[in-house]
């Protein structure tokens, strides 16, 4: 069976969501081509020869890009069985079925992909017809026994994001996952409609062997893509301690909730001592009323407490935000900028994070809230979101201006500090406020902050 696994976007990382199922399918005798269109051209020859084309859709942007490829793939190979798998596949099932997608797999998708290939192979061998409705679960939360990802045929690691360290050293960055899903039920999170409070671990030795092979391929830094690295804190700490013993010069980064950083504060030091370069944490807002609506599980004070803990431990933090929501005001946005400045976080926040607008996808827990149901419009299938507008049109205009500023700054190569200054000014103009300068004490040089050289989008 000839299979194409296709990724459109994975935040500058070599996709685990291709490498892991590739190993499973090859172990069952399938011929697998992995195409990462964020780093290589669309290979028509591979698509023409495929009996199955499976699109990996771990996020909103990746899904929209994948949908644009359905028609071209159909034209090239009308006989191919089309599959969408990953986080955004099951929540968009009705629309994807309408577009002609035959198999949809979410959650723990490797076993589902194997089942798909085996039933299609069986039907072909017996000259039978595969069932019109898929027998595989659309969402599987099975406890899988993982195998080591097979990265053969993927674009080399050196072509993906690099870590830039203080002093200017560039390190090739690998990527792996030690767990999936999440224990928490944040209302805006796309993981919740699929995993609903469940998380699953990738066995420790599989994670470590995957990293060993990436180190052998040139990686000097590893990004752990777990939604929350401390969902299983014992599992996580055991991995990084073993990793540090084997590769003491290897650095890594992780994503951890504010709530978990407070609960397991003793392990902030563990992270630093085992080579963690920075921690990404989804702060989302510094407005307690918004945090409560999102059911984030932390407060503004909690965030500031974690900033102080990191400062004391000498570990870098990379906060992420959803600054534009239906409840954002011009004053609350200005407050977010002021907090970022006062806490010395300007260089720690990729400018795109200051322009993110809340996405309300299909299945979002936000739709459980009457207030949200009343403010959203009809579901926009093409955009894969429920549309909403801020009650104050000036806030929506500011959002558009900030996004334009960020994209223009990226094209012109402006520094984070210069981009922040422009956003700061735009915010003040929108409020009709005096042009108060940013406190220079808050401006930390970019050279002092470890960072990956590719910003990410939702």
């Amino acid at each position: 069976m000839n299979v194409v696994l296709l990724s459109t976007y994975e935040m500058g990382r070599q996709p685990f969501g291709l490498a892991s199922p590739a190993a499973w399918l090859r172990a069952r005798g399938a011929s697998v081509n992995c195409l990462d269109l964020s780093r290589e051209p669309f290979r028509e020859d591979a698509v023409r020869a495929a009996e199955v084309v499976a699109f990996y859709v771990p996020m909103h942007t990746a899904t929209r890009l994948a949908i644009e490829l359905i028609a071209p793939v159909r034209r090239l190979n009308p006989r191919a069985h089309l599959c969408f798998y990953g986080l955004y596949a099951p929540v968009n099932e009705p629309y994807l079925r309408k577009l002609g997608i035959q198999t949809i797999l979410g959650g723990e998708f490797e076993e589902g992909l194997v089942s798909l290939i085996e039933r299609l192979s069986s039907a072909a061998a017996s000259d039978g017809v595969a069932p019109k409705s898929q027998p595989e679960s659309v969402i599987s939360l099975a406890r899988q026994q993982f195998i080591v990802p097979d990265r053969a045929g993927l674009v080399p690691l050196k072509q993906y994001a690099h870590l830039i360290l203080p002093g200017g050293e560039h390190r090739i960055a690998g990527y792996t996952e030690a767990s999936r899903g999440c224990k928490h039920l944040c209302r805006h999170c796309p993981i919740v409609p699929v995993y609903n409070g469940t998380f699953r671990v990738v066995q420790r030795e599989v994670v470590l062997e995957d990293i060993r092979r990436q180190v052998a391929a040139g990686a000097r830094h590893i990004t752990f893509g777990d939604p929350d690295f401390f969902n299983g804190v014992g599992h996580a700490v055991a991995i990084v301690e073993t990793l540090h013993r084997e590769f003491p010069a290897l650095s890594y980064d992780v994503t951890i909730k504010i709530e978990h950083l407070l609960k397991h504060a003793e392990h902030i030091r563990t992270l630093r001592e085992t080579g963690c370069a920075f921690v990404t944490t989804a702060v989302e807002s510094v407005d307690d009323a918004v945090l409560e609506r999102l059911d984030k599980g932390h407060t503004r004070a909690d965030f500031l407490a974690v900033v102080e803990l990191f400062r004391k431990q000498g570990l870098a933090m990379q906060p992420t935000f959803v600054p534009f929501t239906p409840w954002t005001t011009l004053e609350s946005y200005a407050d977010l900028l002021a907090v970022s400045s006062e806490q010395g976080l300007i260089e720690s926040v990729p400018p795109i994070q200051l322009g993110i607008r809340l996405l309300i996808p299909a299945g979002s827990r936000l739709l459980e809230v009457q207030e949200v149901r009343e403010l959203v419009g009809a579901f926009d299938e093409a955009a894969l979101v429920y549309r909403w507008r801020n009650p104050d049109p000036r806030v929506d205009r500011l959002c558009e201006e900030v996004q334009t500023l960020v994209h223009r700054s990226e094209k012109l190569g402006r520094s984070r500090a210069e981009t922040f200054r422009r956003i700061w000014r735009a915010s003040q103009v929108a409020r009709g406020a005096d042009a108060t300068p940013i406190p220079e004490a808050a401006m930390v040089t970019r050279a002092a902050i470890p960072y990956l050289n590719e910003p990410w989008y939702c």
Side-chain angles (χ1 to χ4, degrees), residues 111-130:
E111 288 181 346
L113 283 167
V114 168
S115 173
L116 166 64
I117 301 308
E118 289 179 344
R119 69 178 166 89
L120 293 179
S121 296
S122 177
S126 62
D127 294 323
V129 178

Side-chain angles (χ1 to χ4, degrees), residues 4-77:
V4 166
L5 301 177
L6 194 152
S7 172
T8 56
Y9 176 66
E10 179 65 348
M11 303 190 295
R13 306 158 170 173
Q14 191 187 65
F16 183 91
L18 298 190
S20 178
W24 288 64
L25 296 175
R26 286 168 180 155
R28 270 70 171 186
S31 174
V32 181
N33 274 296
C34 294
L35 304 185
D36 181 1
L37 300 189
S38 74
R39 289 297 187 275
E40 62 181 315
F42 183 73
R43 300 208 305 267
E44 292 187 0
D45 57 336
V47 172
R48 284 196 182 96
E51 294 159 272
V52 175
V53 178
F55 299 83
Y56 176 49
V57 287
M59 63 191 72
H60 183 261
T61 298
T63 309
R64 294 190 65 182
L65 292 171
I67 286 171
E68 293 175 6
L69 291 170
I70 294 173
V73 167
R74 276 283 182 227
R75 284 195 297 270
L76 285 169
N77 188 344

Side-chain angles (χ1 to χ4, degrees), residues 23-343:
W24 288 64
L25 296 175
R26 286 168 180 155
R28 270 70 171 186
S31 174
V32 181
N33 274 296
C34 294
L35 304 185
D36 181 1
L37 300 189
S38 74
R39 289 297 187 275
E40 62 181 315
F42 183 73
R43 300 208 305 267
E44 292 187 0
D45 57 336
V47 172
R48 284 196 182 96
E51 294 159 272
V52 175
V53 178
F55 299 83
Y56 176 49
V57 287
M59 63 191 72
H60 183 261
T61 298
T63 309
R64 294 190 65 182
L65 292 171
I67 286 171
E68 293 175 6
L69 291 170
I70 294 173
V73 167
R74 276 283 182 227
R75 284 195 297 270
L76 285 169
N77 188 344
R79 295 177 302 278
H81 185 101
L82 300 189
C83 168
F84 268 52
Y85 70 100
L87 201 61
Y88 268 76
V91 295
N92 291 296
E93 181 182 6
Y95 182 51
L96 294 174
R97 298 284 188 202
K98 190 186 302 183
L99 296 175
I101 302 305
Q102 294 141 290
T103 299
I104 292 172
L105 303 169
E108 305 301 279
F109 49 73
E110 284 87 351
E111 288 181 346
L113 283 167
V114 168
S115 173
L116 166 64
I117 301 308
E118 289 179 344
R119 69 178 166 89
L120 293 179
S121 296
S122 177
S126 62
D127 294 323
V129 178
K132 290 186 178 180
S133 61
Q134 70 176 66
E136 297 83 16
S137 298
V138 171
I139 295 176
S140 171
L141 301 181
R143 297 180 185 274
Q144 299 184 142
Q145 182 61 48
F146 283 85
I147 59 178
V148 180
D150 185 348
R151 299 174 184 274
L154 282 168
V155 175
L157 285 176
K158 65 182 179 181
Q159 295 186 34
Y160 289 91
H162 286 55
L163 177 75
I164 314 299
L165 288 172
E169 178 189 351
H170 284 233
R171 292 187 174 187
I172 293 174
Y175 175 83
T176 195
E177 296 175 6
S179 65
R180 288 182 180 151
C182 186
K183 291 180 177 179
H184 299 270
L185 299 172
C186 303
R187 286 197 178 100
H188 66 303
C189 179
I191 297 168
V192 175
V194 176
Y195 282 90
N196 195 31
T198 300
F199 93 106
R200 293 286 179 253
V201 301
V202 181
Q203 289 75 29
R204 187 186 311 173
E205 190 51 42
V206 172
V207 178
L208 292 169
E209 182 57 27
D210 185 31
I211 294 171
R212 292 180 190 114
R213 294 182 185 185
Q214 291 184 75
V215 169
R220 295 296 176 265
H221 177 84
I222 295 292
T223 292
F224 286 93
D226 309 44
D228 192 310
F229 198 59
F230 277 2
N231 266 316
V233 66
H235 175 64
V237 168
I239 285 173
V240 296
E241 288 180 338
T242 302
L243 187 63
H244 188 62
R245 286 194 296 271
E246 289 192 34
F247 305 105
L250 187 72
S251 56
Y252 65 90
D253 68 273
V254 295
T255 298
I256 305 174
K257 281 172 64 71
I258 291 291
E259 182 180 355
H260 281 166
L261 290 168
L262 283 175
K263 182 178 180 180
H264 305 294
E266 72 277 12
H267 285 306
I268 296 175
R269 183 178 207 172
T270 305
L271 294 172
R272 178 178 58 79
E273 291 178 346
T274 54
C276 186
F278 64 88
V279 174
T280 299
T281 186
V283 179
E284 315 301 38
S285 178
V286 295
D287 182 329
D288 283 337
V290 173
L291 290 169
E292 184 175 356
R293 285 183 171 100
L294 299 180
D295 199 9
K296 275 301 298 177
H298 71 258
T299 63
R300 175 192 182 109
D302 292 336
F303 165 53
L304 297 177
V306 170
V307 171
E308 183 60 24
L309 286 171
F310 271 61
R311 188 176 291 123
K312 288 179 178 178
Q313 288 295 336
L315 182 57
M317 173 195 291
Q318 181 173 284
T320 63
F321 298 108
V322 183
F324 289 98
T325 72
W327 311 286
T328 301
T329 65
L330 294 178
E331 289 69 29
S332 69
Y333 186 77
D335 181 48
L336 171 64
L337 298 182
V339 170
S340 298
S341 173
E342 291 162 3
Q343 297 300 319

